Amino acid sequence: MFKSLIDAAQNSTFKSPFTSVNCQAAPPTSAPSSSAVVTPTLRDVAPRQLTPNHNIAAAAVAEGDSCEFGSNHYFLLCGLGGIISCGSTHTMVVPLDLVKCRLQVDPAKYKSVFTGFRISLAEEGVRGLAKGWAPTFIGYSMQGLCKFGLYEVFKKVYGDAIGEENAFLYRTGLYLAASASAEFFADIALAPMEAAKVKIQTTPGFAKTLREALPKMTAQEGVAAFYKGLVPLWMRQIPYTMMKFACFERTLELLYKYVVPKPRADCTKGEQLVVTFAAGYIAGVFCAIVSHPADTVVSKLNQAKGASALDVAKQLGWSGLWGGLVPRIVMIGTLTAAQWFIYDAVKVFLRMPRPPPPEMPESLKKKLGVTGEQ
């Protein structure tokens, strides 16, 4: 009994608020006799266009997919993928992040990456390299939820708003707008934990754990202590994320078009994940360069009590803003590649729909007189 009810619910046309159906008119037929009334189904109705260049098609779940593309279920799973990819990867590179932050706030003591590791190990031991792991895991898990989940939401919302043809023609702008919007909210979720993490890592003797740091920060500066780095965090993360998503999307498109010898649909899941990792690493290098000055300000700001972002930038100077760039390129390049790899692997594992690379709509091909593949 229960199994039949579950099957009926799963096969229901109205199981998702994003499910749409063909609203096409049936071809005219002769009136049925009173003895036999036949109700046409959606499959019996011939496909038609209600208006020129506008097809209304049923948004059914493809065979083998666990959810429908663009549904609430799909967006939630994207958010879950973001939690797993961002939370795990940022936590794995905490030792490198710790040394990078110390290079930024005290370059006189920590002159290089190797010197930073050597001094940190000598002063605090191996366990000291894990300082700040808890706020890193919590903060970047929350950020990943908003970043990846909301990116997919905004990409669909903005794409629907400008129409299919413009969404293809201006897809780079679409990626930039969707990622910037998502990161705006993601940073609000990240800011408190990022402030605690930097405080733990760069202020000697302040706190060893998150539980110890939170009440101390609240007592010293109030709730404002957790959000005073929000604006420079936006300055760092929004350009980073815009580059991360737009560069990844376009690099992935170019790799499949010019490098990979066969269409993505013909590639195995493993081959697709390798291409994803490569595109992610390329995007990560650009991300690190674009966002590094703001990252330096964030690190120094959370160490300097009462200072503003502008004060810190003036104090550091142009050359000081680029301190720790090399370890950050290594860290962010690897991090971004790993995040995209894990995020895509989660999609594969959860059997989520993974749309092919962008293709010019048929209506636009007709307008432009395009006959070959683009």
Side-chain angles (χ1 to χ4, degrees):
M1 174 181 175
F2 289 104
K3 186 177 185 302
S4 62
L5 289 174
I6 293 172
D7 291 338
Q10 290 177 339
N11 295 323
S12 170
T13 306
F14 306 101
K15 66 180 178 178
S16 167
F18 285 87
T19 302
S20 58
V21 296
N22 279 318
C23 300
Q24 298 138 342
T29 57
S30 58
S33 64
S34 58
S35 59
V37 178
V38 179
T39 302
T41 64
L42 288 174
R43 293 184 179 180
D44 297 327
V45 179
R48 290 182 59 192
Q49 288 186 321
L50 296 181
T51 58
N53 301 323
H54 287 80
N55 288 313
I56 301 178
V61 178
E63 183 178 356
D65 288 343
S66 63
C67 60
E68 177 187 332
F69 178 77
S71 66
N72 287 341
H73 188 190
Y74 174 81
F75 294 137
L76 287 173
L77 291 181
C78 288
L80 175 61
I83 291 173
I84 296 171
S85 65
C86 289
S88 61
T89 51
H90 277 277
T91 304
M92 284 190 293
V93 296
V94 161
L96 184 58
D97 184 43
L98 178 140
V99 173
K100 182 266 301 179
C101 288
R102 289 177 174 177
L103 272 170
Q104 291 172 329
V105 301
D106 193 357
K109 180 178 180 181
Y110 304 95
K111 299 182 183 299
S112 68
V113 178
F114 298 106
T115 303
F117 272 108
R118 181 174 56 79
I119 294 174
S120 298
L121 282 169
E123 292 181 347
E124 303 173 82
V126 175
R127 292 186 63 181
L129 294 177
K131 287 180 71 173
W133 75 267
T136 297
F137 178 74
I138 296 171
Y140 282 94
S141 293
M142 294 167 65
Q143 187 212 36
L145 169 66
C146 299
K147 177 185 291 189
F148 282 92
L150 291 180
Y151 171 72
E152 299 289 353
V153 172
F154 282 119
K155 188 167 71 169
K156 184 177 188 303
V157 170
Y158 294 161
D160 290 345
I162 63 177
E164 183 183 28
E165 293 180 3
N166 287 328
F168 174 79
L169 290 173
Y170 307 108
R171 57 192 181 279
T172 301
L174 176 63
Y175 304 147
L176 292 171
S179 57
S181 301
E183 189 60 38
F184 177 85
F185 295 100
D187 289 343
I188 296 174
L190 169 64
M193 292 296 105
E194 178 73 2
K197 181 207 75 165
V198 173
K199 198 75 171 177
I200 292 170
Q201 291 179 337
T202 62
T203 305
F206 179 77
K208 293 183 179 180
T209 65
L210 179 61
R211 287 183 298 176
E212 185 183 352
L214 293 180
K216 282 188 176 182
M217 293 176 68
T218 305
Q220 288 182 1
E221 300 180 68
V223 179
F226 301 106
Y227 288 99
K228 71 176 185 179
L230 180 58
V231 173
L233 196 60
W234 278 330
M235 292 169 59
R236 180 189 82 182
Q237 288 296 132
I238 290 179
Y240 163 84
T241 301
M242 292 170 71
M243 182 65 71
K244 175 178 181 174
F245 282 87
C247 186
F248 171 80
E249 297 267 24
R250 293 311 301 261
T251 301
L252 195 67
E253 184 180 337
L254 292 173
L255 286 177
Y256 278 112
K257 189 173 184 179
Y258 296 110
V259 179
V260 181
K262 53 186 175 180
R264 190 171 84 169
D266 297 335
C267 296
T268 65
K269 298 297 184 185
E271 290 170 339
Q272 291 180 25
L273 290 175
V274 170
V275 178
T276 295
F277 184 86
Y281 208 102
I282 293 170
V285 172
F286 288 101
C287 288
I289 296 171
V290 166
S291 63
H292 189 73
D295 179 68
T296 304
V297 172
V298 171
S299 297
K300 189 70 175 177
L301 186 65
N302 284 303
Q303 184 201 38
K305 183 177 178 180
S308 67
L310 187 59
D311 293 335
V312 170
K314 288 180 178 178
Q315 179 186 347
L316 289 169
W318 178 251
S319 59
L321 290 173
W322 296 98
L325 177 61
V326 174
R328 191 159 189 269
I329 286 178
V330 175
M331 183 182 79
I332 296 300
T334 306
L335 200 68
T336 304
Q339 284 179 2
W340 279 115
F341 182 87
I342 293 171
Y343 181 66
D344 214 27
V346 169
K347 282 189 170 183
V348 171
F349 179 77
L350 297 177
R351 296 184 295 106
M352 295 172 62
R354 301 164 71 244
E359 184 180 355
M360 183 180 291
E362 290 298 325
S363 59
L364 188 58
K365 288 182 180 179
K366 292 177 182 178
K367 286 182 181 179
L368 301 177
V370 177
T371 55
E373 293 184 0
Q374 297 298 312

